[in-house]
Amino acid sequence: MPQAAAASEYDVVVIGAGAGGMTAAAVAATRGLKSIVIEKTPLVGGTTAISGGMVWAPNTTKRSLVGADDTPAQAANYLETVVGTPEGADLRARYLAEAPKAIEYLESHTSVRLTPVPFYPDYYPDVPGATLRGRVLEPVPFDARELGNQSPSLRPPLPEFTLFGGMMVARADIVHFRNVFKSARSALRVARLVAGYGADRMRFHRGTSLVLGNALAGRLVKSLLDLDVPILLGTTVTGLRRDGKAVVGIEVRTASGEAMSIGARLGVVLASGGFSHSDRLRRELLPVEAGDASAAADGNTGDGIDLGKSAGGFVVSSNRNNAFWTPVSRLVRANGESGVYPHTVTDRGKPGMLAVNKAGRRFTNEAESYHEFVQAMFRANRQSAAIPAYLICDRRALWKYGLGAVRPMAWRLESYRRSGYLHEAPTLRALADGLGVDAGNLEATVATYNRDAATGVDTAFGRGSNAYHKYVGDPANLPNPCIHPVVTPPFYAVVLHPADLGTSAGLRTSPAGEVLDGEGQAIPGLYACGNDMNSIMSGSYPGPGITLGPALVFGYLVAMRIAETRDAQRAQWGSEGRPLVRLVSSSAAPPSAP
Ligand SMILES: Cc1cc2nc3c(=O)[nH]c(=O)nc-3n(C[C@H](O)[C@H](O)[C@H](O)COP(=O)(O)OP(=O)(O)OC[C@H]3O[C@@H](n4cnc5c(N)ncnc54)[C@H](O)[C@@H]3O)c2cc1C
């Protein structure tokens, strides 16, 4: 990664190399602003690099590629019904207006490339204004070789989401892996993919075909390299430099422990990814039942929020949820490190899976979104212990769909059993006893579920009754894509805990991304995007990609606002465009760059 040049003053200083930060820095550079990105960990990409990479962006020109019928009014109507809070209403309106322009700008000025997912329903498909396709974009696969010798600095994807120790599988190819023994076309496709990966491993010691969030992060890094934006890795931003109310730079600590000061002529952008791994902020902002599990990258420790507060920024804590939830199972990887498997779309809604509480009873519709599922855990737990919960299936479903970190068609289960990750028993009663779940109730619950599977109607929770349920189910399973009898021993379970995919509470900003103080006034020189800004969805989760979409769009808007400020200053002070008073009165003025 290009380390920071000698200059200690930039137009724009960005804190955090995730989707929000890298977008802001790249767009700023396209507008002729001298930018730098500071990244605390030794790797670029943050949670973005381990994410699904989906981007929810209504009404881009791409919607026509998948024949989608949508209008700005329809998207606004949908958000009004699903989110509906006054908090962030101005930002949501700006988002809907600017997302198409932002995506177009990124594609024409950087290496970011997105393509519409042919079918991906909004998470509340029966609500007015919802769509089944056209709003969700995914990154076009990216060849890591384009990063040259910088590619090892890109954060790798989650090991649980790769095959053969590092092969990424695109969403569209999952079906080919599932049908590898059934269709000659799928077998050929899989053979090609595996051969390509094998060749990459021999030549480059890793897979080079990146998809999902890793492709998005790779594309953003490539953009920064092309635009000559330095990224300072292993460097933690520890404080903000102020001049009165204005923010004029940052204090950092390098990997070797050296303290440094970097000036920001026009703006500091907080993009450090939220507070998923801050025990203190979790205690302050999340319900106690949420525990400490997070699927987010470990560098997200709330630094941006603390820095913003130190400059007078206001943290919104009144969202419907202050985090975006997902159930996870805890695991220990082969190298001894512990991890979590996010049960987002791979298993819960598939036919032959059901989730129960400690009393052995189902407590919710397993095919709802991960965000809804965890909220149901919280609610159910108030009546009868549902944290942790247990995701249960039989041998048939395990083989077909996998269960958490256990992949479909896994021959060898021994290591999962031995580590305590996968529970297995010859009968449901024995499975329940091993889990400490009420055995009689579990047998009765499964008997009801099996009867419902025959008729195709989930009498308890209506699973399979809407387009989103069906999307996460299996269309080949009829009459209901989401239910199938659980009858083939042995029986299996993994333990589910609540966790977050990222946090939604953050700094209140203007629709241009300026950080606001308690009185609603913009703090000069301070901006936020990504999960450091309070989510525009205010803790609701309307559809896939509702954090990365805003991270890209507000990263773009922040950079555009800073460029406008520069233009205004140029008009006032000439092409130097620098407010001299700020340098004169700054107590620790940095050596100015030429
Ligand atoms: C498994 C998984 C799947 C997901 N899938 C999706 C999806 O498909 N679509 C979607 O919209 N969302 C998804 N999400 C959520 C999404 O990935 C995050 O909300 C998003 O990546 C946050 O972007 P960001 O730029 O705010 O932060 P990040 O990408 O986390 O980047 C922040 C960076 O800042 C760095 N940093 C922190 N503190 C400092 C400091 N003091 N100094 C310097 N650097 C610092 C961090 O190390 C990190 O690299 C998913 C999350 C997970 C875990």
Side-chain angles (χ1 to χ4, degrees):
M1 221 26 74
Q3 296 293 294
S8 60
E9 194 177 29
Y10 291 80
D11 293 323
V12 183
V13 174
V14 176
I15 305 173
M22 289 198 283
T23 302
V27 173
T30 66
R31 296 295 312 271
L33 297 170
K34 191 169 174 235
S35 321
I36 184 171
V37 179
I38 314 293
E39 168 56 46
K40 173 161 85 173
T41 69
L43 298 169
V44 273
T47 307
T48 304
I50 59 172
S51 75
M54 299 298 128
V55 169
W56 194 83
N59 290 299
T60 65
T61 51
K62 292 169 189 297
R63 73 186 185 285
S64 59
L65 299 175
V66 290
D69 194 15
D70 198 1
T71 62
Q74 207 175 319
N77 190 14
Y78 178 65
L79 286 188
E80 179 54 32
T81 315
V82 174
V83 183
T85 57
E87 179 71 47
D90 49 348
L91 278 79
R92 286 191 290 282
R94 186 90 201 271
Y95 182 69
L96 292 179
E98 298 289 338
K101 290 181 228 164
I103 302 290
E104 223 169 285
Y105 188 90
L106 285 173
E107 293 208 325
S108 54
H109 291 78
T110 75
S111 292
V112 171
R113 298 287 179 278
L114 299 164
T115 185
V117 179
F119 183 79
Y120 209 150
D122 288 327
Y123 287 171
Y124 304 91
D126 297 330
V127 157
T131 59
L132 301 179
R133 57 174 62 78
R135 289 180 181 164
V136 188
L137 311 178
E138 66 181 330
V140 171
F142 178 67
D143 187 339
R145 285 173 296 184
E146 289 195 42
L147 298 182
N149 61 5
Q150 310 296 339
S151 69
S153 298
L154 178 64
R155 183 177 289 274
L158 286 180
E160 291 73 35
F161 289 158
T162 64
L163 295 175
F164 315 120
M167 175 182 170
M168 295 201 77
V169 179
R171 227 179 24 77
D173 284 324
I174 294 173
V175 67
H176 292 300
F177 278 85
R178 209 173 268 151
N179 292 337
V180 66
F181 299 125
K182 290 192 211 147
S183 138
R185 193 169 146 259
S186 291
L188 192 65
R189 173 76 185 152
V190 168
R192 276 214 186 104
L193 290 171
V194 173
Y197 172 67
D200 283 351
R201 277 297 285 257
M202 284 203 295
R203 285 187 61 198
F204 309 106
H205 308 290
R206 62 168 290 175
T208 58
S209 176
L210 310 184
V211 297
L212 308 174
N214 216 245
L216 179 61
R219 288 182 169 281
L220 284 164
V221 175
K222 169 81 170 115
S223 309
L224 295 179
L225 292 175
D226 290 346
L227 290 159
D228 276 334
V229 177
I231 308 174
L232 202 53
L233 293 178
T235 302
T236 305
V237 179
T238 53
L240 296 177
R241 278 177 37 198
R242 314 267 304 278
D243 176 10
K245 207 181 165 199
V247 172
V248 295
I250 58 168
E251 308 292 347
V252 304
R253 196 180 52 250
T254 65
S256 59
E258 196 189 333
M260 255 168 63
S261 185
I262 300 175
R265 280 187 285 261
L266 294 167
V268 169
V269 182
L270 303 171
S272 76
F275 63 90
S276 296
H277 292 284
S278 162
D279 291 343
R280 175 176 48 81
L281 289 171
R282 285 182 84 92
R283 271 197 307 277
E284 262 175 48
L285 293 163
L286 303 187
V288 66
E289 313 90 73
D292 62 0
S294 174
D298 53 8
N300 301 6
T301 52
D303 301 7
I305 287 170
D306 286 339
L307 291 167
K309 270 163 75 176
S310 75
F314 178 84
V315 176
V316 180
S317 58
S318 57
N319 300 295
R320 189 169 293 161
N321 293 274
N322 285 332
F324 297 112
W325 307 115
T326 182
V328 295
S329 45
R330 294 177 188 270
L331 52 94
V332 178
R333 299 194 172 112
N335 64 4
E337 125 195 326
S338 49
V340 295
Y341 182 93
H343 293 252
T344 49
V345 293
T346 53
D347 50 19
R348 271 177 307 113
K350 296 281 185 282
M353 306 262 167
L354 68 157
V356 296
N357 61 12
K358 196 166 175 59
R361 296 200 168 94
R362 288 176 69 203
F363 55 90
T364 192
N365 180 337
E366 298 88 344
E368 292 288 0
S369 78
Y370 31 94
H371 189 60
E372 282 292 342
F373 184 87
V374 170
Q375 290 177 78
M377 283 173 91
F378 293 153
R379 283 192 302 270
N381 195 54
R382 287 177 214 134
Q383 315 297 322
S384 172
I387 298 175
Y390 307 90
L391 187 59
I392 288 174
C393 70
D394 65 2
R395 176 69 194 150
R396 175 198 159 277
L398 182 86
W399 174 257
K400 217 164 170 188
Y401 308 113
L403 183 61
V406 183
R407 297 187 176 90
M409 293 183 280
W411 291 101
R412 289 200 303 257
L413 301 176
E414 187 45 35
S415 62
Y416 297 108
R417 279 192 300 250
R418 218 182 25 243
S419 67
Y421 179 75
L422 183 68
H423 296 254
E424 180 191 284
T427 63
L428 285 168
R429 179 159 286 272
L431 186 73
D433 288 344
L435 294 168
V437 163
D438 186 298
N441 284 347
L442 179 64
E443 285 176 331
T445 299
V446 173
T448 307
Y449 177 90
N450 289 350
R451 270 198 308 277
D452 287 352
T455 61
V457 179
D458 174 16
T459 49
F461 296 105
R463 185 166 150 176
S465 59
N466 77 26
Y468 180 70
H469 305 164
K470 289 178 183 143
Y471 173 78
V472 294
D474 177 354
N477 188 81
L478 296 171
N480 184 330
C482 297
I483 343 181
H484 188 282
V486 178
V487 286
T488 314
F491 299 95
Y492 296 94
V494 292
V495 181
L496 298 181
H497 302 270
D500 70 279
L501 289 168
T503 49
S504 62
L507 295 158
R508 183 176 281 153
T509 63
S510 74
E514 299 145 314
V515 175
L516 303 180
D517 65 15
E519 276 74 54
Q521 298 299 311
I523 298 168
L526 191 62
Y527 301 82
C529 58
N531 290 352
D532 282 354
M533 85 186 271
N534 194 58
S535 165
I536 66 166
M537 303 304 177
S538 205
S540 297
Y541 213 125
I546 54 83
T547 69
L548 285 173
L552 296 181
V553 173
F554 284 94
Y556 157 88
L557 288 173
V558 158
M560 289 298 186
R561 170 47 61 93
I562 297 174
E564 278 167 21
T565 310
R566 184 262 327 261
D567 294 346
Q569 286 184 2
R570 276 191 180 160
Q572 197 174 350
W573 286 295
S575 63
E576 209 20 34
R578 186 191 287 174
L580 293 175
V581 66
R582 268 170 60 181
L583 283 182
V584 170
S585 61
S586 171
S587 55
S592 60

